[in-house]
Amino acid sequence: KTGSPIGGASSTCANCHSGGAFAPTISIDVKDAAMNSVTSYIPGNTYTIEYIVSAGAGTPSGYGFQGVALNASNGAAGSLVTALTSNTQIVTFGGVDYLEHQGISTGGVFQSTWTAPAAGSGAVSIYGRGLAANGTGGTSGDATSASVVLGLTEVVPTTISYPGTPYCANDTDPTPVQIGEQGGTFSAPAGVSINTTTGVIDISNSSEGTYQ
């Protein structure tokens, strides 16, 4: 019921809950191990996904939500690991993990750990839809937020190496092998003459030594 492409934009909690005037909103935040918000992920790393549901009007009895992380093919992107807030649970349907409320929640903050997908998975879209409930036990008098989506790009691991080390004074100036993200600026400690754009080292103008 997140409004994701899996169920279609019309498949939301608004299919049942309606009539309330709470004007709820939902936000999605992904945080790294240092609890800094991120807009990209490193494959295989673990993050915290946080959904916050709040009311723009009135005083609801509590909140609910559902969220899901999908790849570009609308399949499962990574996996939800552990619900971090007691009002939150992880359910799996059709091989896809969903995060959702566990009973009506007086607080609108819902968190879980999430392991990012493997390298090469590409962009991830995290969907969510919130609910503000009047607490009567029925579906009337409740209100749902719009569906929101947070996009994460994949960080491509980058390595730079100079095959053939060590070098002699009369060797051909070495060119680096760069795998992953291209571009950037090359730098080296004093004693190394390096082209900051290409990374080529001028051996004849560099001092003997070991450098990083």
Side-chain angles (χ1 to χ4, degrees):
K1 301 301 183 182
T2 64
S4 78
I6 289 181
S10 62
S11 180
T12 71
C13 40
N15 295 146
C16 295
H17 297 270
S18 63
F22 301 121
T25 59
I26 185 170
S27 63
I28 307 172
D29 195 12
V30 177
K31 301 177 181 181
D32 61 16
M35 297 307 287
N36 296 313
S37 297
V38 298
T39 56
S40 61
Y41 70 90
I42 297 174
N45 276 20
T46 298
Y47 297 86
T48 297
I49 294 182
E50 179 180 75
Y51 291 86
I52 298 178
V53 184
S54 57
T59 307
S61 293
Y63 302 93
F65 86 107
Q66 190 179 67
V68 65
L70 302 177
N71 58 30
S73 300
N74 295 326
S79 59
L80 295 170
V81 183
T82 304
L84 298 176
T85 42
S86 60
N87 58 356
T88 310
Q89 64 181 338
I90 299 168
V91 297
T92 302
F93 182 78
V96 178
D97 290 341
Y98 292 85
L99 197 64
E100 63 183 25
H101 59 275
Q102 183 165 271
I104 189 170
S105 172
T106 55
V109 179
F110 308 88
Q111 294 179 330
S112 173
T113 52
W114 171 71
T115 299
S121 296
V124 169
S125 296
I126 301 177
Y127 296 85
R129 181 106 178 186
L131 169 71
N134 60 6
T136 62
T139 57
S140 62
D142 302 333
T144 66
S145 73
S147 296
V148 298
V149 58
L150 173 68
L152 299 178
T153 56
E154 179 181 356
V155 174
V156 180
T158 301
T159 60
I160 300 171
S161 61
Y162 288 86
T165 56
Y167 297 101
C168 297
N170 61 349
D171 281 342
T172 301
D173 291 345
T175 299
V177 174
Q178 188 171 350
I179 299 173
E181 295 285 350
Q182 300 298 303
T185 301
F186 289 86
S187 62
V192 177
S193 177
I194 188 170
N195 184 305
T196 58
T197 301
T198 65
V200 172
I201 295 173
D202 184 346
I203 290 181
S204 63
N205 286 316
S206 298
S207 302
E208 180 181 347
T210 301
Y211 300 93
Q212 180 71 37

